[in-house]
Amino acid sequence: MDTFDYIYLIPLIPLLMFLFLGFTARKIKEPVSGYLGTAGLLAVFILSYYTAYKYFFADGLVDGKYQQIRVMLKEGWIHFTDKLAIDIGIIIDPISVMMLVVVSTVSFMVHIYSLGYMHKDPGFSRFYAYLSLFTFSMLGLVLASNLFMIYIFWELVGVSSYLLIGYYFEKPSAVAASKKAFIVTRFADMFFLIGILMIGYFGQSFDFMTLNSESTISMLNSWIANHQVASFLGLSVITWALILIFIGGMGKSAMFPLHIWLPDAMEGPTPVSALIHAATMVVAGVYLVARLFPMYYHIEGGAALRVVAVVGAFSALFAAIIALTQEDIKRVLAFSTMSQIGYMMMALGVSGFDGYEGLGYMAGMFHLFTHAMFKALLFLVAGAVIHAVHSNFMKDMGGLHKYMPIASWTFLIAALAISGIPPFSGFFSKDEILMAAWEYNKIIWFVGFIVAGMTAFYMFRLYFRIFHHKDTQYEHPPHDAPANMSFSLIFLAVMTMAVGFISFSEYISASLKPFHSHIHWGSPLVIGSIVIALVGIGAAYLMYYKETEYPQKVAAAFGTTYKWAKNKFYVDELYMYVTHKIIFDKVSKPIAWFDRYVIDGFMNLLGVTTLGIANRIKFLQSGRLQDYAMYFVSGVVAIIIIVIYYK
């Protein structure tokens, strides 16, 4: 089998671009810096697709399965014991190759799109440097061969997202949003790190291939069965370690209740939203669970995987309800992203009903792949619309179809895909998820089914209100985006229509063995999923294609429920209350008082006492010879008197 000796170039190129553009940002101006950054991503794009071609087609199957290969840097770094060590390595397997395609495709399109979107921005070169840093971090994450490497790149992704979300640092709202994203994800990462340490201690390795091996999993299950490891609330400490790692993924993927950073992250430039919230950062949690899927599936009967399924299903429903009520188009797409990530997590959680191959695992990865294309497209079209009308709110839009036909048609393609309408890509991946959920648990399937209808409704609510609804009078007539921006839209629209026809199960499975999966067109499940999507689209058409009173009547009918949903169920306010009124006022203030007046007071008392004593005896160190002679003679006389007296 041919080797992949060039693979290190894929993350290295954007790293070099970041360093070069970062150090020369004041010297190299627009558009040269943009062209350089885009050229670097073109190289990454070509190498990633070449890797996918070589891995899946040129090399093909060996002994009936795709080979998991460790290449290049299998170098020792930190050694704790003979077995437990942190290595530097690169892993190539089906999901890492798939993620290379996803990250490189979306990042390359965002680079091209930003040439037009960020035109004349004073921080143009700095923006492209940040894009390169983010791309390097994400590529390093998907190629990492062990838990500690993935954690390092995980944190780099957090840093680069902080820089991109707070790109407009002169805006207080952008600064607050970047800090919020950074703090929330760091809080989740604390649990991630604890989970890594626990898994490393019990599994005696941080290496993915070792941890996912049959020998390691059998050893851990044997310890659990023989009560050789501690348990808490009926679950072993190893299962809890997996749940803690999942909490890290929940923070990065904006799962409930760690989702609060995602809507505010829309303060960054819209291309950033497409890059971070469509295909890269927010799917890192899904990728993490998929990377450790054999452990999640086999340890203690998949107990941790059941947690993944429930949290994913609830997050999908929770976010979809909120998306129904939002007025800012980027926030609608943000909550849509949260909902779809929940769908992917739910798919992983319900995987394995038909054996280790796991239809749900394949479906979750398939949905990650298709979602990357149509969600990036949705965000980029939103950026083109905002660029044209200078507003994020739907009330300022309407009738844009005649002004921006390319944006309208590409958005429609993406909306049909995410709604699950055949033959667009989202239908194929979403149908597989619902099929797996049906076999696993009917309640989870029902949640997924309802969310599918909600998704169709809020996406076409968005589409009709932006491109139809009413003939808004614009101060400056809008027009389609320039050629470089429109190219990205058209390319992603073509991908959205095409990728659904990939026989994904023949390339991605939990066991690396391809299997055949197909749509049962006449089955009630398939018909039901199409019908619920059409019902959602039809309801949106009746309410929003033309300006009517139906939306106000529906909002009034739901009353308090609608108000709560529009205010995101006051989760942010709950966090503020807990942090300010309880943690800060009830916990932190008493601790601060104790620290200031007891700890510091005691230390200050010691200092004052020492200083006072020093002031009283400092005359003994006058520096005059006659004083020292007097002290000496006086001491000698005193000693003689004491000796004579006691003798």
Side-chain angles (χ1 to χ4, degrees):
M1 181 182 293
D2 192 11
T3 59
F4 296 82
D5 293 334
Y6 61 87
I7 200 72
Y8 69 92
L9 291 173
I10 292 179
L12 181 62
I13 291 172
L15 174 61
L16 294 176
M17 284 293 104
F18 162 68
L19 294 173
F20 180 76
L21 294 175
F23 284 117
T24 61
R26 295 182 181 275
K27 297 178 180 179
I28 299 180
K29 301 298 183 181
E30 180 187 353
V32 177
S33 54
Y35 292 152
L36 289 173
T38 304
L41 256 294
L42 174 60
V44 170
F45 177 82
I46 293 170
L47 287 174
S48 297
Y49 274 75
Y50 174 67
T51 301
Y53 166 76
K54 190 160 72 162
Y55 184 82
F56 288 118
F57 301 103
D59 292 339
L61 300 172
V62 177
D63 298 328
K65 65 192 297 187
Y66 290 105
Q67 295 297 297
Q68 188 166 346
I69 309 168
R70 184 75 57 81
V71 297
M72 285 302 295
L73 303 165
K74 178 58 169 70
E75 298 292 339
W77 183 26
I78 301 174
H79 290 269
F80 300 104
T81 66
D82 292 339
K83 293 182 179 179
L84 187 60
I86 302 175
D87 298 327
I88 298 176
I90 296 174
I91 196 169
I92 297 181
D93 70 347
I95 59 171
S96 65
V97 174
M98 179 205 75
M99 287 298 294
L100 287 180
V101 171
V102 167
V103 175
S104 63
T105 300
V106 176
S107 185
F108 182 44
M109 290 301 109
V110 167
H111 274 71
I112 295 175
Y113 181 91
S114 298
L115 291 171
Y117 190 88
M118 301 301 291
H119 179 53
K120 294 185 179 180
D121 189 278
F124 187 87
S125 297
R126 175 169 57 91
F127 179 78
Y128 270 89
Y130 290 169
L131 286 185
S132 296
L133 175 62
F134 183 89
T135 306
F136 158 70
S137 304
M138 198 64 208
L139 291 170
L141 189 153
V142 302
L143 290 173
S145 65
N146 59 70
L147 275 169
F148 255 104
M149 270 193 71
I150 208 172
Y151 185 77
I152 292 169
F153 285 106
W154 192 272
E155 297 305 307
L156 276 173
V157 168
V159 170
S160 48
S161 67
Y162 169 82
L163 295 172
L164 286 167
I165 293 168
Y167 174 76
Y168 297 121
F169 57 84
E170 69 279 0
K171 292 173 56 180
S173 57
V175 173
S178 63
K179 289 193 295 185
K180 187 176 184 180
F182 193 79
I183 291 169
V184 172
T185 52
R186 292 300 72 69
F187 175 73
D189 292 349
M190 174 186 68
F191 297 100
F192 184 18
L193 181 58
I194 295 171
I196 289 173
L197 296 174
M198 291 168 65
I199 286 292
Y201 175 78
F202 288 103
Q204 283 298 292
S205 178
F206 298 115
D207 185 84
F208 289 127
M209 292 179 69
T210 303
L211 291 173
N212 289 330
S213 66
E214 291 184 14
S215 58
T216 300
I217 292 172
S218 297
M219 176 188 71
L220 295 176
N221 275 326
S222 175
W223 288 355
I224 294 169
N226 295 322
H227 305 288
Q228 292 178 264
V229 294
S231 62
F232 177 69
L233 296 178
L235 297 176
S236 72
V237 68
I238 299 169
T239 298
W240 279 110
L242 292 172
I243 292 173
L244 290 173
I245 290 174
F246 171 59
I247 292 174
M250 287 170 59
K252 198 71 78 183
S253 292
M255 308 288 287
F256 179 88
L258 300 174
H259 65 282
I260 57 170
W261 64 269
L262 185 63
D264 291 8
M266 299 300 109
E267 290 290 341
T270 302
V272 171
S273 302
L275 182 62
I276 294 179
H277 308 123
T280 50
M281 176 172 164
V282 292
V283 299
V286 181
Y287 177 76
L288 179 63
V289 175
R291 173 56 68 207
L292 286 171
F293 184 77
M295 294 197 79
Y296 277 95
Y297 181 81
H298 286 295
I299 294 294
E300 208 168 356
L305 208 56
R306 289 192 286 274
V307 175
V308 174
V310 172
V311 173
F314 181 81
S315 296
L317 178 62
F318 181 83
I321 293 172
I322 296 175
L324 295 171
T325 63
Q326 299 302 296
E327 294 295 322
D328 184 324
I329 62 174
K330 288 177 69 176
R331 288 180 182 266
V332 174
L333 295 178
F335 282 106
S336 172
T337 298
M338 176 184 167
S339 182
Q340 296 303 304
I341 298 295
Y343 239 91
M344 298 173 206
M345 286 290 195
M346 181 182 77
L348 293 177
V350 303
S351 186
F353 73 88
D354 57 349
Y356 181 53
E357 309 302 338
L359 178 62
Y361 177 93
M362 183 280 296
M365 294 294 98
F366 194 13
H367 199 57
L368 188 158
F369 189 75
T370 60
H371 174 267
M373 306 305 164
F374 57 69
K375 184 54 65 69
L377 175 56
L378 289 168
F379 270 112
L380 294 183
V381 173
V385 170
I386 293 168
H387 198 263
V389 302
H390 308 291
S391 174
N392 287 25
F393 293 94
M394 287 184 273
K395 63 181 178 63
D396 300 322
M397 302 172 189
L400 286 175
H401 178 76
K402 62 183 178 182
Y403 298 105
M404 305 178 69
I406 294 176
S408 178
W409 284 112
T410 52
F411 193 96
L412 177 61
I413 290 169
L416 289 168
I418 195 174
S419 300
I421 300 297
F424 301 95
S425 59
F427 164 76
F428 297 97
S429 55
K430 187 174 289 188
D431 186 74
E432 300 281 20
I433 293 174
L434 292 175
M435 181 70 71
W438 174 265
E439 297 292 340
Y440 180 83
N441 183 285
K442 300 301 186 291
I443 295 175
I444 290 180
W445 168 83
F446 183 72
V447 170
F449 181 73
I450 294 299
V451 169
M454 289 181 174
T455 302
F457 177 81
Y458 67 65
M459 285 311 308
F460 274 86
R461 170 180 177 260
L462 195 59
Y463 172 71
F464 290 136
R465 289 193 64 181
I466 294 173
F467 295 104
H468 299 282
H469 194 59
K470 62 182 180 181
D471 291 324
T472 303
Q473 298 300 312
Y474 298 98
E475 183 178 351
H476 302 288
H479 55 81
D480 262 319
N484 44 23
M485 295 170 67
S486 295
F487 170 79
S488 298
L489 303 184
I490 295 169
F491 181 89
L492 288 171
V494 172
M495 292 290 284
T496 296
M497 291 187 289
V499 295
F501 294 100
I502 297 173
S503 299
F504 211 73
S505 61
E506 295 183 8
Y507 306 106
I508 306 292
S509 75
S511 64
L512 306 180
K513 295 179 181 178
F515 66 97
H516 183 65
S517 175
H518 62 277
I519 303 296
H520 301 277
W521 291 101
S523 72
L525 289 179
V526 174
I527 294 173
S529 67
I530 297 174
V531 168
I532 192 68
L534 292 174
V535 168
I537 294 172
Y541 178 84
L542 292 174
M543 293 175 66
Y544 296 107
Y545 184 76
K546 296 291 185 183
E547 200 169 10
T548 67
E549 296 181 356
Y550 292 134
Q552 291 79 10
K553 291 180 178 179
V554 172
F558 280 94
T560 303
T561 304
Y562 179 85
K563 180 182 176 182
W564 275 62
K566 191 166 186 177
N567 288 282
K568 299 169 284 186
F569 292 98
Y570 299 99
V571 176
D572 287 78
E573 287 76 7
L574 178 61
Y575 269 102
M576 293 297 290
Y577 177 82
V578 170
T579 53
H580 285 266
K581 299 297 184 181
I582 298 177
I583 296 176
F584 293 169
D585 290 349
K586 306 299 183 185
V587 179
S588 299
K589 281 187 177 180
I591 292 174
W593 182 91
F594 183 82
D595 180 67
R596 183 177 300 112
Y597 294 106
V598 178
I599 305 298
D600 286 355
F602 177 70
M603 299 308 296
N604 292 337
L605 178 63
L606 287 178
V608 170
T609 303
T610 303
L611 187 60
I613 295 172
N615 285 329
R616 289 179 179 273
I617 66 172
K618 65 182 180 180
F619 67 89
L620 297 175
Q621 298 288 336
S622 64
R624 293 184 297 179
L625 184 61
Q626 57 269 36
D627 289 344
Y628 297 152
M630 183 186 71
Y631 300 150
F632 177 75
V633 172
S634 299
V636 170
V637 171
I639 292 171
I640 292 172
I641 293 171
I642 292 170
V643 170
I644 293 173
Y645 177 80
Y646 281 102
K647 189 174 181 180

